[in-house]
């Protein structure tokens, strides 16, 4: 039985197509996926992300505990700032990718993916046991609503007195939005400017309605998981379970920059990761642009002269580029002459560096 978010009634009233995602009943789309995608690129879209996990790490040694538990240097994070990081196993394989917010000197919030947050909470609890720090999974207490797109700041500014202009990318501040106490974070998963609003469950529906009304002059649209996936794909952002999994290291995914070997002390996975930090991986994560109209999909083989040299991890038609695009792991050193085996047909693709799309700042 899929678990509903606090906004289920609203999604149903809007005629959303609901689907199971990581055990949650989530809106796949409300109408046209392409309209929702384009709304975010051109104006603004509204997302329910209440399936994400919120895990709090508090105490005098909370920062040191996270330094040991994760690959990043979280004790160096300034209050009010956020950082993208990962939790890995002893072999360096990625267990989840995370965003960590420092809310106070002794308080951090770790935001984990929906399918992984119970595991992340358990691993953090285990790894923090040697520190003066407490780990508490508060995911059940929070809803998460995102407004994303070039008009996101203008829309949100009508509902809050918080200093949105001064709020930097990957930063967050407490504030009141439409009367609700919220953590206002300038983060997102679309490649556009935007905000993620962490609020109590009871405040989710009134906040959604307020954002919808405030967004009417800007033609804001509610947006589902389908458009969120095509938006993040264009932006070259990894999805756990596709581009990231426990058999891949951060270096395999081209994200070795998140691993901080210069932080004090040991961390889980260090012994496995340090020897490979300067070794090119066997395969690297790249972008593929189809020359035809057929769409490369997750799991399809990438070939060169009929020999398999990689595998597609994510693929979809790109509304912004007007062509099918994909992310794939391809053997290092191979740059051209590639095709994707789409049900027995070798469909030519061009290899490009990620991301496919970068917004004008």
């Amino acid at each position: 039985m899929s678990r509903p978010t606090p906004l289920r009634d609203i999604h149903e009233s809007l005629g959303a197509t609901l689907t199971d995602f990581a055990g949650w009943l989530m809106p796949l789309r409300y109408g046209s996926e392409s309209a929702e995608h384009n709304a975010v690129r051109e104006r603004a879209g509204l997302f329910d992300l209440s399936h994400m996990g919120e895990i709090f790490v508090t105490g005098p040694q909370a920062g040191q505990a996270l330094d040991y538990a994760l690959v990043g240097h979280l004790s160096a994070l300034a209050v009010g700032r956020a950082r993208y990081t990962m939790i890995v196993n002893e072999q360096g394989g990625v267990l989840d990718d995370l965003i960590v917010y420092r809310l106070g000197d002794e308080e951090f919030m770790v935001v984990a993916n929906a399918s992984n947050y119970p595991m992340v909470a358990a691993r953090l609890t285990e790894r923090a046991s040697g520190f003066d720090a407490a780990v508490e999974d508060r995911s059940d207490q929070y809803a998460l609503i995102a407004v994303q797109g070039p008009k996101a700041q203008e829309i949100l500014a009508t509902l809050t007195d918080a200093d949105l202009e001064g709020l930097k990318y990957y930063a967050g501040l407490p504030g009141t939005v439409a009367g609700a106490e919220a953590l206002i974070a300038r983060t997102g998963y679309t490649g556009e400017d935007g905000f993620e609003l962490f609020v109590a469950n009871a405040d989710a529906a009134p906040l959604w309605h307020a954002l919808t009304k405030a967004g009417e002059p800007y033609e804001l649209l509610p947006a589902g998981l389908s458009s969120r996936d095509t938006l993040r794909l264009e932006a070259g952002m990894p999805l756990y379970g596709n581009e990231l999994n426990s058999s891949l290291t951060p270096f395999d995914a081209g994200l070795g920059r998140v691993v901080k070997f210069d932080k004090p002390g040991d961390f889980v996975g260090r012994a496995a990761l340090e020897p490979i930090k300067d070794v090119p991986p066997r395969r690297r994560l790249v972008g593929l642009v189809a020359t035809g109209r057929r769409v490369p999909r997750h799991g399809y083989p990438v070939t060169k002269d009929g020999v398999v040299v990689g595998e597609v991890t994510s693929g979809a038609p790109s509304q912004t580029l007007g062509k099918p695009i994909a992310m794939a792991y391809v053997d290092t050193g191979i740059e051209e002459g590639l095709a994707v085996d789409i049900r027995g047909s070798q469909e030519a693709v061009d290899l490009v560096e990620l991301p496919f799309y970068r917004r004008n700042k």
Side-chain angles (χ1 to χ4, degrees):
M1 186 79 177
S2 302
R3 179 180 175 183
T5 77
L7 296 170
R8 174 183 179 173
D9 290 348
I10 290 176
H11 301 321
E12 290 182 337
S13 73
L14 292 170
T17 300
L18 298 173
T19 188
D20 177 84
F21 181 80
W24 290 81
L25 191 64
M26 299 296 295
L28 189 63
R29 69 184 74 81
Y30 298 85
S32 161
E33 292 172 21
S34 59
E36 293 168 23
H37 179 108
N38 292 333
V40 176
R41 285 280 176 258
E42 298 165 7
R43 304 180 306 279
L46 192 60
F47 297 86
D48 177 11
L49 307 179
S50 301
H51 60 316
M52 301 292 281
E54 293 86 18
I55 303 157
F56 285 71
V57 182
T58 57
Q61 292 187 309
Q64 293 97 311
L66 288 171
D67 284 348
Y68 173 71
L70 310 178
V71 298
H73 190 183
L74 287 314
S75 65
L77 195 60
V79 173
R81 297 307 303 266
R83 184 162 294 165
Y84 177 75
T85 188
M86 296 180 183
I87 183 169
V88 302
N89 57 27
E90 295 282 0
Q91 295 74 42
V94 179
L95 297 174
D96 202 11
D97 60 336
L98 314 163
I99 296 180
V100 178
Y101 298 85
R102 189 167 199 163
L103 306 180
D105 289 337
E106 298 184 2
E107 184 179 20
F108 296 79
M109 181 174 69
V110 179
V111 177
N113 285 301
S115 57
N116 293 332
Y117 74 76
M119 175 274 297
V120 173
R123 295 291 180 110
L124 288 177
T125 299
E126 173 190 312
R127 296 178 186 187
S129 61
F131 298 87
D132 187 3
V135 177
E136 183 183 2
D137 183 355
R138 301 182 193 169
S139 304
D140 291 348
Q141 301 173 30
Y142 284 91
L144 176 56
I145 295 173
V147 55
Q148 299 278 304
K151 298 298 184 182
Q153 181 174 317
E154 290 179 50
I155 293 168
L156 190 56
T158 65
L159 300 174
T160 182
D161 293 330
D163 180 16
L164 302 180
E165 188 67 41
L167 187 62
K168 296 177 181 177
Y169 187 51
Y170 265 70
L173 82 169
T176 303
V177 183
E181 293 299 314
L183 173 67
I184 305 167
R186 197 166 210 145
T187 44
Y189 194 52
T190 63
E192 296 298 334
D193 189 20
F195 301 86
E196 296 183 320
L197 307 171
F198 297 83
V199 297
N201 289 327
D203 292 325
L207 178 57
W208 181 280
H209 288 307
L211 286 163
T212 299
K213 186 171 179 57
E216 284 176 358
Y218 302 89
E219 298 181 75
L220 171 141
L221 288 182
L225 291 179
S226 287
S227 61
R228 188 169 186 248
D229 191 51
T230 55
L231 290 158
R232 70 92 194 165
L233 176 58
E234 288 184 349
M237 294 176 167
L239 173 65
Y240 193 87
N242 289 38
E243 287 72 41
L244 301 171
N245 61 56
S246 61
S247 68
L248 297 168
T249 73
F251 295 100
D252 291 322
L255 294 166
R257 65 183 182 275
V258 307
V259 184
K260 304 301 182 185
F261 294 108
D262 58 352
K263 62 180 175 179
D266 195 12
F267 64 89
V268 177
R270 180 174 198 141
L273 293 172
E274 199 148 26
I276 65 169
K277 65 180 180 180
D278 297 317
V279 179
R282 184 177 69 86
R283 286 183 169 177
R284 66 188 188 104
L285 188 63
V286 300
L288 302 176
V289 178
T291 59
R293 298 179 62 181
R294 298 187 73 182
V295 180
R297 298 290 187 183
H298 173 78
Y300 286 8
V302 180
T303 63
K304 181 178 172 67
D305 300 326
V307 177
V308 175
V309 295
E311 184 174 308
V312 173
T313 54
S314 298
S318 168
Q319 297 297 324
T320 306
L321 277 66
K323 301 174 182 178
I325 60 172
M327 293 166 74
Y329 280 102
V330 172
D331 289 354
T332 298
I334 296 178
E335 303 287 340
E336 55 190 28
L338 294 174
V340 174
D341 185 338
I342 301 180
R343 300 191 180 119
S345 176
Q346 303 297 314
E347 301 290 335
V349 292
D350 293 325
L351 185 149
V352 299
E353 295 300 320
L354 296 169
F356 300 98
Y357 167 85
R358 200 185 300 272
R359 69 183 170 94
N360 295 320
K361 297 185 180 180

